[in-house]
Amino acid sequence: MKRTFGLVIFDCDGVLIDSERVSAAVIAESMTELGLPVTPEAAMARFVGVSLRAMRPMIEDDLGRPLPPDWNAMLVARIVAAMERHAEPIPGAREILEHFDAVGQPWRIASNSADVEMDAKFGRTGWLDLVAGRTFSAPRLFPEGGRPKPAPDVFLAAARSLPAAPETCLVIEDSVTGIAGAIAAGMTCYGFAPHGNGEPLLAAGAERVISGHHELRDLVALAAAIGAKA
């Protein structure tokens, strides 16, 4: 069904910023230090879209013992340092955000990453002014135990900021976890798969899969044109 989108909500990692491989390398290094040798590729395959809070019990199950109390804080500090050196934008990402601004299409960013992580990524890429006031971090919104993706809360918080009704929102996600959260929020979700691995995203419930932001620009424009004629 074609529609006019009241709000486009982007995931951050893997959709706007090419940061997932950077995070995976840090996670793999930490797990190896703990006695669980893991490659960055394996860490990325297992933990893409997973919050640190959800990741912790998974690693503890593998270890058979609790992680150190400061493990989360230590890992965040390492990830932030790595992002400040290595984070790069996804091709076409800044252009789509600037295009949406130019045509009056509202957008937000909803992420399981902490604010300090997003600040490092957007600082590295020079996007801090562009995204100011439009980022929604699950750890910031829900610090006491939290409800990160796949819960819908961070998406719903982004929608309330406009405000926009959930059924008018379009979410762009590259992970099964994020797609589950978008669907739980009652929003349309497009999978983002620039490397051609879109089948799991469709299986998770994405309405369609796009391979680049140029496709998103055309689809949103088409929806707006059809909506204006309706």
Side-chain angles (χ1 to χ4, degrees):
M1 182 177 66
K2 299 293 189 295
R3 62 189 69 76
T4 299
F5 296 113
L7 179 66
V8 179
I9 303 174
F10 294 89
D11 179 39
C12 176
D13 301 303
V15 174
L16 297 177
I17 303 295
D18 189 5
S19 51
E20 289 175 331
R21 296 182 190 281
V22 179
S23 295
V26 174
I27 293 165
E29 180 182 52
S30 175
M31 291 179 67
T32 300
E33 291 171 355
L34 291 165
L36 292 171
V38 174
T39 65
E41 292 76 17
M44 183 169 174
R46 185 177 185 192
F47 297 122
V48 64
V50 178
S51 68
L52 289 184
R53 188 175 290 123
M55 190 185 306
R56 184 181 184 112
M58 298 166 68
I59 295 175
E60 289 179 333
D61 284 346
D62 292 345
L63 278 173
R65 65 176 189 274
L67 286 165
D70 64 347
W71 182 82
N72 285 48
M74 176 276 297
L75 195 66
V76 168
R78 287 190 180 187
I79 289 173
V80 167
M83 293 301 171
E84 290 174 340
R85 297 192 303 271
H86 302 300
E88 297 293 340
I90 295 289
R94 182 175 184 117
E95 289 80 1
I96 192 66
L97 300 182
E98 292 178 335
H99 169 71
F100 281 168
D101 279 346
V103 299
Q105 170 64 60
W107 58 269
R108 299 289 188 270
I109 299 168
S111 177
N112 273 348
S113 293
D115 283 318
V116 67
E117 296 175 58
M118 283 199 280
D119 286 348
K121 297 162 193 172
F122 295 131
R124 158 80 178 173
T125 55
W127 291 22
L128 287 175
D129 289 343
L130 177 63
V131 304
R134 294 194 271 197
T135 63
F136 292 81
S137 160
R140 180 204 337 144
L141 293 169
F142 315 108
E144 304 298 330
R147 283 176 56 83
K149 305 172 192 177
D153 301 58
V154 69
F155 294 119
L156 294 171
R160 285 193 298 269
S161 73
L162 195 59
E167 62 270 20
T168 72
C169 295
L170 170 65
V171 176
I172 312 301
E173 273 283 356
D174 72 323
S175 75
V176 168
T177 300
I179 289 169
I183 292 172
M187 300 176 178
T188 300
C189 189
Y190 291 176
F192 188 78
H195 304 297
N197 54 337
E199 291 80 6
L201 306 181
L202 289 171
E207 185 172 292
R208 67 170 72 224
V209 170
I210 60 174
S211 63
H213 289 296
H214 62 286
E215 292 181 53
L216 177 61
R217 174 176 175 159
D218 294 342
L219 287 166
V220 170
L222 177 61
I226 293 175
K229 295 177 181 178

